Amino acid sequence: MNIGEASKASGVSTKMIRYYESIGLISAPLRTESGYRVYSDNEVHGLRFISRARDLGFSVEQMGDLLALWRDRSRASADVKSIALEHIRVLDEKAKALKAMSDTLRHLADNCHGDGRPDCPIIEGFAQAAPTSVKRRQPRFGVTDVAPDRSHA
């Protein structure tokens, strides 16, 4: 099947299929004499595997590790479980950070009158400087990580 058909069958966009091929996550498929990619059922199955892993938030590197384990029939299930448990730990950390952000914003919104007056706890909360003991990092996956400021140590 061609790349469009493989995309529909796997749920992975043609752009992402090309990207996964370019970074070596999937091997280059056979090509017709005119240069069109031809995907086998096994390759589409691998794309479905990638799609499911991506839906669960695994990184490209983790998906590569999982694909290698999937293809290795002599793998130890402990290796797969280790990757899954580490990913669960990361997801739990992100969920905790999102919950803290939601709680903070809910508190600010609950204390805002929401009327015609100019005073607004939401705006005031945003305008406050971050505590000096906290150093902000670049957002990752839509979550701002916070780490202790060790520049004074």
Side-chain angles (χ1 to χ4, degrees):
M1 66 185 74
N2 67 32
I3 193 168
E5 294 165 332
S7 173
K8 287 178 186 169
S10 67
V12 178
S13 72
T14 58
K15 181 178 179 179
M16 290 307 293
I17 293 172
R18 289 185 193 101
Y19 171 70
Y20 292 148
E21 181 185 333
S22 75
I23 63 169
L25 186 60
I26 60 171
S27 57
L30 296 174
R31 290 187 179 252
T32 64
E33 286 183 22
S34 56
Y36 291 101
R37 292 169 172 86
V38 178
Y39 294 88
S40 69
D41 289 338
N42 282 344
E43 289 165 324
V44 170
H45 193 65
L47 289 169
R48 283 190 199 115
F49 182 99
I50 290 169
S51 178
R52 182 68 176 136
R54 192 70 197 149
D55 288 346
L56 292 172
F58 284 97
S59 69
V60 170
E61 182 181 334
Q62 290 169 318
M63 288 189 295
D65 293 343
L66 290 167
L67 276 169
L69 289 166
W70 178 52
R71 291 178 180 133
D72 179 5
R73 296 297 176 198
S74 64
R75 70 183 169 263
S77 64
D79 294 336
V80 180
K81 185 174 183 176
S82 174
I83 293 170
L85 289 174
E86 174 58 19
H87 189 58
I88 290 167
R89 186 192 64 73
V90 169
L91 290 173
D92 286 345
E93 284 179 11
K94 289 178 185 177
K96 184 177 176 183
L98 287 170
K99 176 75 170 113
M101 288 189 296
S102 176
D103 289 347
T104 298
L105 189 54
R106 185 177 324 284
H107 172 76
L108 292 170
D110 286 347
N111 288 289
C112 179
H113 295 289
D115 56 16
R117 292 182 282 181
D119 60 316
C120 177
I122 300 169
I123 295 296
E124 292 166 12
F126 290 172
Q128 292 176 352
T132 57
S133 63
V134 177
K135 180 180 178 182
R136 297 201 179 273
R137 297 183 190 152
Q138 290 291 355
R140 219 174 80 194
F141 304 106
V143 177
T144 301
D145 293 332
V146 177
D149 183 2
R150 295 192 173 98
S151 61
H152 302 296

